[in-house]
Amino acid sequence: MRSITLPDGRTVPALGLGTWYMGESAGAHDGEVRALQTGIDLGMTLIDTAEMYADGGAEEVVCDAVRGRRDQVFIVSKVLPYKASRKGTIAACEDSLRRLGTDHIDLYLLHWPGSHPLAETVAAFEALQADGKIGGYGVSNFDVAEMIAWEKVAGAGACQTDQVLYNLSRRGIEWDLLPWARERKMPIMAYSPLEQGRLADRTLRSIAEKHGATAMQVALSWVLRNPSVIAIPKASNPVHVQANRAALDLGLDAEDLRVLDDSFPPPRRKQALDVL
Ligand code: NAP
């Protein structure tokens, strides 16, 4: 598994596992646990979750998936912005720790910019880190201007990642956020790298055919072509998990990338940050 280094020196796999929409039905629980375990077995040992997903239900699925192998897994979770005051962040983290059945979250993110002063959220993150309850912290859905404001409060190097929407049909961050992060050696974590399963045009299908792969694998391989991007596709179906792992080794060539650029053009000007 290819790894990526965070600003604090820790390494994480370039390909992880998403959990949005997991934990919503008791009937799906065992299958979701198995899907995550399949991913861990294949080296996709970064699991992204959030208190928001199924109102904590996704964190409970993660708890069951990592039981007995917590030390092999890097858990990312997120605090909801409306809770992100100093006290609220600490309480939210403790609730997440309880649902996850662990004593620490490896990376804790502010889910999107909210109305609590950033200084309060940062102070809470620092207190949680000092207590060993989180290994590091970062943000999600922050555009460049928000990152600059964050950096003024938290200082340079304190943010381990910005988790944002990035896939073939959502390339706006290539204009400014990706270069900004690259300068700081801060990886971007790409969410919805498969546009929630909706990417399947003719170009993708023809490149897929050439590689004996699927359109989804080509779309994921494209996100993973960038050495400073971590992708966290969600798959409840273990066949999809295996296909996603295989996409890491697909190796798109220069001609594939050119054809994809024609169908999914890179940005030519600043675009507002896409969110889901
Ligand atoms: P996604 O990963 O782009 O797509 C997930 C969908 O694609 C599921 O329906 C899944 O089906 C399907 N799929 C996965 N692998 C496939 C394959 N190889 N072939 C065909 N279909 C495949 O969408 P996402 O869940 O929105 O994003 C990924 C993760 O990013 C989330 O789960 C969450 O952890 C995180 N996220 C964060 C934010 C944020 O605001 N920070 C927002 C959105 C998402 P099955 O489940 O049936 O396998």
Side-chain angles (χ1 to χ4, degrees):
M1 171 60 67
R2 182 158 63 78
S3 62
I4 291 189
T5 305
L6 300 177
D8 64 14
R10 292 180 296 165
T11 56
V12 294
L15 179 61
L17 300 160
T19 63
W20 195 14
Y21 296 116
M22 288 189 180
E24 297 205 334
S25 94
H29 179 91
D30 291 353
E32 291 164 353
V33 167
R34 272 196 299 277
L36 292 178
Q37 289 173 336
T38 301
I40 299 168
D41 291 341
L42 292 170
M44 298 153 80
T45 53
L46 181 150
I47 302 184
D48 177 73
T49 191
E51 63 172 343
M52 187 188 98
Y53 304 160
D55 284 331
E59 291 180 322
E60 290 169 356
V61 173
V62 174
C63 173
D64 288 343
V66 307
R67 185 163 293 123
R69 62 201 309 196
R70 170 69 185 91
D71 56 348
Q72 295 170 29
V73 178
F74 188 97
I75 296 179
V76 182
S77 194
K78 314 182 197 82
V79 56
L80 280 163
Y82 76 86
K83 295 186 182 174
S85 62
R86 195 177 191 292
K87 272 192 182 161
T89 302
I90 288 171
C93 183
E94 279 164 357
D95 287 344
S96 285
L97 287 170
R98 187 177 34 73
R99 287 188 293 264
L100 287 161
T102 184
D103 61 357
H104 71 286
I105 291 167
D106 297 285
L107 183 57
Y108 199 42
L109 309 179
L110 174 58
H111 207 145
W112 63 85
S115 55
H116 288 290
L118 289 178
E120 284 208 28
T121 313
V122 171
F125 282 167
E126 283 173 349
L128 287 166
Q129 192 171 18
D131 284 350
K133 292 180 178 169
I134 62 172
Y137 57 88
V139 296
S140 177
N141 296 301
F142 271 46
D143 206 345
V144 173
E146 290 148 341
M147 285 306 313
I148 290 169
W150 170 272
E151 206 178 59
K152 279 194 184 133
V153 174
C159 184
Q160 302 307 311
T161 196
D162 184 8
Q163 184 182 113
V164 292
L165 177 56
Y166 182 54
N167 63 47
L168 268 168
S169 65
R170 314 275 198 156
R171 298 185 62 171
I173 64 166
E174 289 174 29
W175 184 257
D176 52 354
L177 183 61
L178 259 181
W180 189 92
R182 200 178 303 123
E183 258 177 44
R184 285 156 181 77
K185 298 191 173 16
M186 182 190 82
I188 289 293
M189 197 176 289
Y191 75 69
S192 309
L194 306 173
E195 186 65 14
Q196 301 194 315
R198 292 187 293 265
L199 285 172
D201 81 334
R202 207 155 19 131
T203 311
L204 273 171
R205 282 200 295 271
S206 77
I207 296 174
E209 204 172 314
K210 171 179 148 189
H211 288 275
T214 66
M216 284 298 134
Q217 286 179 304
V218 173
L220 184 56
S221 176
W222 180 87
V223 172
L224 290 165
R225 82 203 182 289
N226 187 322
S228 59
V229 172
I230 302 158
I232 48 166
K234 174 262 181 186
S236 298
N237 179 340
V239 173
H240 289 162
V241 177
Q242 283 159 355
N244 293 343
R245 173 62 187 82
L248 191 62
D249 304 323
L250 201 59
L252 299 176
D253 60 32
E255 175 60 9
D256 298 331
L257 297 179
R258 192 195 59 71
V259 172
L260 287 168
D261 276 349
D262 284 347
S263 280
F264 302 93
R268 294 209 171 77
R269 61 189 70 81
K270 166 71 188 162
Q271 295 175 6
L273 186 70
D274 270 327
V275 292
L276 272 192

